[in-house]
Amino acid sequence: MGYVAIKGGGRAISGAAGVLEFLRTRQGESGQPLDVHTIHHQLSLLESRVLSEGGLYHPELAALAIKQSLGDTLEASFALRAYRSTRPRLVETPLLDTRDMRLIRRISASFKDIPGGQMLGPTTDYALRLLRFELIEEDRSAFQAFARSWLQEAPPADLPDSFPKVLDSLRQEGLLPPALPPRPLSQGGRGEQPFDITREPLIFPVPRSAALATMARAETGSLLAIAYSNMSGYGDVHPTVGELRVGYVPILLAHPVTGELVEAGEALITECEVIAMYEAGDDGAKPAFSVGYGACFGHNEVKAISMAVLDRALQKGVKHGASNPSEDPEFVLLHVDGIDSMGFASHYKMPHYVTFQSDMDRLRTTQKKLGERETS
Amino acid sequence: MTDIERRHWLRALTALPPETLAAVAGELDAGWAMTYKTRPQAGLGMLQLRDGALHEAYYLGEFPLAHCWLTLSGPDGESYQGAAQVMADDPDLARALAVLDAVLAHRLPGWERVSELVETGQAARAEEDRIRARILAATRVDFTLLSATEAGDDD
């Protein structure tokens, strides 16, 4: 491929940036610049997508990325991921457990009476999908007063700090496969060390930890589409949501002086565990339900459920061979990253003058030869 | 002195405005010679979780992190260590928190002010915890009531 230098491109490019800024600000005197805190609070689910797809739990910068990208989730996630690539890695947490999450939502589709009870938390699951036209001219004082009055009216609560996992009780009954011990390094495993997709390329086969990490920062729509193919017939997962929880995971790190685990902060995450069809155990063990797992930064339940379905589908593909696209690790994991796929789609906008010229030349030659053959 | 354990100080203190922490730390570290075991630095941490289905370790993603580990040395030759690792982009915040950690842990002059900050921050955290508990309580599903009024099971 050849490249041709042209004049005036730089001016056009800076002009395009100016036009974008013009369109962002042309609301004029009645316009208000979007505040990142407003985005954080009022567009929290959009922020959640960018947090998880950017792979960096930084709500303030995710909100900024949304603002600067005019709400384009792919561009915003790209900006967040670009930012993270400029930062040094200082530490990695010890292996943390989501049993310690500070929950704001917890439901199960498997049992009504789960230990600790079901709490719907913030959800649109039961909302009518009808437009609330009153929000077009929302009353400012009512808006500002709602949170205060809600708090006054909400019942005081005496709840435990954490809740047991639904899957734990099923596992105690022997209905689930045993937890997987890490394969030691001496047997070709990775020991306790998970696969770091930010530092190692995906060369197949990859361990399950690589699949989980890849899907955790995958683009929501891509993950949903492939998971949906499995749900709609190109697969056989048939999941039941054992537990879906939304809450804050304390980020614990060892204090350099005392060695005690200290909370450096907390991250909002969504986590889903699905229970699927039972299957025969290995080496004559009793049959048990199969399970799938999904989790991501922020509040994004469709993503967590889709990931859990795909985790289960990929386990089947690895164990018995893939019968459907959603069971093929290479197909799934190489096509769900939004930054990758958006970049490839967008690159087609770049000049392909020489390659296209070559295509035209070949087509003309072919047409000419065909014409000559027909006339001879 | 606060009876809140040292491992909870950072969560409490980070409920307060960083400017407040910086101002108090700036006053309390005066007169001490400061050396760093780990210089104030901002970067990233990687969150490692155990998956809830098969209990395998994996990386969920990264988070901003600033850290600092310092020693305060007095004219008498005694030295005192403090450290902080905080989810933030701000190395100055990590440094301020490390100073406060050293002052309170070793009851250095001014520790009472740090103790008060920890108590204030702890109260703010407790309030946030109460709000979350109310979110759960306000949306708790009462299946017992449902089964008492409806004979059929819902799928």
Side-chain angles (χ1 to χ4, degrees):
Chain A
M1 176 190 276
Y3 294 91
V4 181
I6 55 169
K7 287 175 66 180
R11 195 169 56 194
I13 288 168
S14 69
V19 169
L20 266 183
E21 195 66 358
F22 164 67
L23 293 177
R24 190 175 78 86
T25 57
R26 75 176 301 193
Q27 192 179 354
E29 290 183 5
S30 65
Q32 293 281 336
L34 265 176
D35 180 68
V36 291
H37 301 292
T38 303
I39 294 172
H40 174 66
H41 287 285
Q42 296 187 46
L43 300 176
S44 58
L45 300 181
L46 174 61
E47 182 188 272
S48 286
R49 279 190 65 154
V50 173
L51 283 175
S52 73
E53 294 170 19
L56 175 64
Y57 189 83
H58 200 316
E60 187 181 14
L61 293 189
L64 170 64
I66 289 165
K67 177 176 176 171
Q68 93 178 34
S69 65
L70 312 184
D72 183 325
T73 55
L74 291 169
E75 286 287 349
S77 306
F78 197 165
L80 200 60
R81 212 180 281 183
Y83 171 82
R84 70 148 290 281
S85 73
T86 67
R87 311 296 282 172
R89 171 83 59 80
L90 301 181
V91 295
E92 134 181 346
T93 68
L95 185 54
L96 300 179
D97 201 306
T98 53
R99 286 184 183 82
D100 302 324
M101 275 169 79
R102 301 178 180 121
L103 298 183
I104 58 170
R105 171 162 163 79
R106 176 181 191 244
I107 58 167
S108 173
S110 306
F111 306 101
K112 286 192 288 193
D113 297 313
I114 57 175
Q118 300 204 32
M119 274 79 69
L120 302 182
T123 179
T124 56
D125 284 353
Y126 309 96
L128 295 174
R129 267 66 178 187
L130 299 175
L131 287 172
R132 291 174 59 196
F133 290 103
E134 72 273 17
L135 295 184
I136 292 176
E137 296 290 343
E138 192 168 15
D139 180 76
R140 189 183 175 93
S141 58
F143 174 85
Q144 291 173 342
F146 186 87
R148 197 168 49 245
S149 64
W150 186 89
L151 265 181
Q152 286 167 353
E153 291 164 16
D158 184 19
L159 293 171
D161 293 333
S162 59
F163 293 85
K165 287 282 188 101
V166 171
L167 260 58
D168 284 347
S169 54
L170 287 175
R171 181 163 277 123
Q172 282 166 6
E173 287 186 53
L175 298 174
L176 296 185
L180 290 176
R183 265 180 81 200
L185 298 169
S186 59
Q187 293 177 20
R190 304 177 64 85
E192 284 279 3
Q193 195 63 31
F195 191 99
D196 186 351
I197 59 166
T198 69
R199 293 186 167 174
E200 296 178 71
L202 290 178
I203 298 171
F204 293 89
V206 294
R208 182 165 168 265
S209 61
L212 293 178
T214 301
M215 292 192 287
R217 69 175 196 174
E219 202 269 332
T220 304
S222 307
L223 218 52
L224 172 63
I226 303 179
Y228 183 51
S229 74
N230 188 293
M231 299 173 210
S232 67
Y234 295 93
D236 62 353
V237 173
H238 305 298
T240 303
V241 171
E243 186 168 352
L244 187 147
R245 37 172 66 193
V246 181
Y248 294 84
V249 176
I251 309 284
L252 303 175
L253 292 168
H255 190 288
V257 180
T258 68
E260 277 190 303
L261 288 179
V262 171
E263 185 175 329
E266 60 180 12
L268 178 68
I269 77 164
T270 306
E271 185 182 50
C272 179
E273 288 146 7
V274 297
I275 303 163
M277 297 297 288
Y278 63 82
E279 54 186 21
D282 294 331
D283 302 327
K286 287 181 183 173
F289 284 123
S290 55
V291 286
Y293 178 80
C296 59
F297 282 143
H299 186 173
N300 190 341
E301 298 176 15
V302 164
K303 179 169 179 176
I305 294 168
S306 300
M307 176 172 161
V309 169
L310 287 175
D311 174 42
R312 167 62 181 79
L314 292 178
Q315 288 176 51
K316 186 255 178 189
V318 168
K319 199 169 178 182
H320 304 295
S323 311
N324 297 286
S326 60
E327 296 161 357
D328 182 341
E330 194 166 335
F331 180 84
V332 173
L333 302 180
L334 292 184
H335 295 104
V336 292
D337 188 89
I339 316 300
D340 279 358
S341 49
M342 176 265 265
F344 211 90
S346 293
H347 108 275
Y348 288 117
K349 294 183 287 186
M350 299 294 109
H352 285 64
Y353 305 142
V354 175
T355 50
F356 188 65
Q357 187 71 45
S358 167
D359 287 343
M360 284 204 301
D361 287 348
R362 279 185 299 177
L363 176 59
R364 285 180 181 132
T365 304
T366 304
Q367 286 179 337
K368 186 178 171 190
K369 283 183 180 172
L370 190 62
E372 288 170 354
R373 204 177 303 155
E374 285 173 349
T375 53
S376 62
Chain B
M1 177 163 170
T2 178
D3 56 1
I4 299 169
E5 292 176 57
R6 187 176 186 178
R7 63 195 175 96
H8 297 306
W9 293 350
L10 192 112
R11 180 169 191 248
L13 289 169
T14 50
L16 304 174
E19 305 79 40
T20 304
L21 304 176
V24 174
E27 290 175 30
L28 297 183
D29 69 14
W32 295 94
M34 190 184 300
T35 53
Y36 293 115
K37 290 180 79 75
T38 304
R39 297 193 69 80
Q41 189 184 9
L44 301 175
M46 178 60 107
L47 176 56
Q48 184 185 186
L49 285 181
R50 188 192 309 278
D51 96 77
L54 296 172
H55 296 187
E56 283 191 273
Y58 76 102
Y59 293 125
L60 183 68
E62 291 166 305
F63 55 88
L65 187 86
H67 68 184
C68 177
W69 182 3
L70 51 76
T71 303
L72 300 178
S73 303
D76 57 357
E78 288 291 317
S79 60
Y80 309 93
Q81 290 187 13
Q85 299 177 99
V86 59
M87 266 179 80
D89 276 330
D90 184 0
D92 293 335
L93 174 62
R95 180 190 167 283
L97 287 164
V99 169
L100 299 178
D101 182 60
V103 169
L104 187 54
H106 303 287
R107 293 201 182 200
L108 304 181
W111 67 266
E112 299 91 341
R113 292 179 64 192
V114 185
S115 181
E116 284 171 20
L117 289 178
V118 169
E119 296 282 352
T120 307
Q122 180 77 352
R125 291 294 184 199
E127 179 57 24
E128 187 60 35
D129 291 343
R130 274 194 290 276
I131 291 172
R132 291 175 185 170
R134 286 183 179 210
I135 289 172
L136 292 178
T139 57
R140 180 189 279 277
V141 184
D142 190 347
F143 284 112
T144 311
L145 214 73
L146 188 68
S147 58
T149 53
E150 293 179 19
D153 195 5
D154 51 340
D155 190 8

